[in-house]
Amino acid sequence: MFFSNFSLRTRVFAFFICLLVVSTFNFGMMTYLENKSINNFEQVTNTNSILILKGDLLDNIVNAESGQRGYLITSNKNYLNPFQNGKAKAQWSLNKLQELTISDPTQQEMLSALETLIDKKFSEMQTTIDLHFSGRKDESIALVNTNEGIELMERVRSILQSLNDDLIYKRDIQQKELITLQENMRLIFIFELVFFAVVLLFLALIVSKTILQPINKLIVSVKAFELDRKFIPVQISSRDELGLLAQTFNNMAAKASSAASEMKGVIKKTEKQRDQALIESISDPLTGLSNRKFMEVELKKLMLSSKRYETALSLIMLDLDHFKKVNDTYGHVIGDLVLKRISKLIKRTMRACDLTIRYGGEEFIIVMDHTASDEAMIKAETLRKDVEGLEIEELGGHPITISLGVTQLCQEDDSIESFVARADEALYKAKTSGRNQCQLI
């Protein structure tokens, strides 16, 4: 036999050389995959941040436009504050988006075109404000009626939607790559274990019967060396080559076991960070309720399902009465505390199946599936009374009330905006009718 021409020491030496090379290769591959997995996770997190900033950018432009329209309609200069704030925040969001997408030429091209449109939009709004301020109100209104601003906003939304689609597409690819990397890491580790077992079995077949028993001990130890079982050291008391082999194997197996434990910890941590990032991307950080972005996705599904299966779908929009006075009197810290208390009360009062969203500021939306408007009104009135009876010690007896607008989905609702707008109209009716009440449209 060919192997019999070599001493046991030589054969074992050659065996361990091969084992070391493969282990080093596997360790290098595992390290490479781990680093790549971390980098991929950072890319997913970065993409989620860009998606959030994209939504903030559109919100800031809309806020600025609301301030402009408010000033043109009422001539109240206080409306110029949200215009200026929205303009400044929109520029900050755009700069941040350009910074985060610096490595993506396609997204940079979109943002370059978007920057030009936003500049034109704010220029158009500033021109109407300047004309109105100088007393040339008819010219200002005429400029608004040209619909130039509407067309610019439609183009802005179109580019933002394209950017959103591109981001979601790339995020899905990144997440799939992350899952693939984690699976490859597991496969490489399993391959390493199988390799140890096969090589040790091969060595047992080529050595003489005088060393069969020690080799069997090695095999038993290797079989026990699995991810879900504790490593058992090989007990060989002899001081010959097999004894040295056993000692070397014990040391290497201990290191491999330690590396396996560390790798499991890394994988678990990475999965936890990924899950946390996903939760944060769909939740409001202050109240813990679902955010507006999540609502737009889920409400669209519910509307399609409601129309397809002809089931009722109702929406409640509520707003805290005189909440600005709370912030001005007690400060924003207490204001945030009030929002948290109200959010907890909403979750406690509404059904577990209801979708509760912080829509923005002190506005909340509740989506009630399989629920007609009359039943939604009953639930809204219950919530109104619960809030009215809520005592917040930090407010020193200051009452908190809410106004609620209720509506039910109809076949004519072809978009989320029309559905929400009708609930907003009902809310407006509740406020203009004296607040602290529910109105149905």
Side-chain angles (χ1 to χ4, degrees), residues 245-267:
L245 172 63
Q247 183 180 359
T248 305
F249 174 79
N250 287 339
N251 293 337
M252 293 186 66
K255 292 179 181 179
S257 180
S258 176
S261 298
E262 292 176 0
M263 187 57 61
K264 289 172 66 176
V266 170
I267 293 173

Side-chain angles (χ1 to χ4, degrees), residues 146-185:
T146 62
N147 292 329
E148 178 184 356
I150 295 176
E151 293 174 359
L152 287 171
M153 278 302 294
E154 289 177 350
R155 293 170 64 187
V156 167
R157 285 190 173 93
S158 177
I159 292 179
L160 285 175
Q161 184 59 49
S162 297
L163 178 61
N164 184 79
D165 295 341
D166 184 67
L167 287 167
I168 291 177
Y169 172 76
K170 291 181 178 178
R171 185 185 63 183
D172 291 341
I173 293 176
Q174 291 165 355
Q175 289 176 336
K176 289 178 181 178
E177 289 178 351
L178 181 60
I179 294 172
T180 300
L181 285 170
Q182 292 171 346
E183 289 297 328
N184 289 340
M185 291 167 71

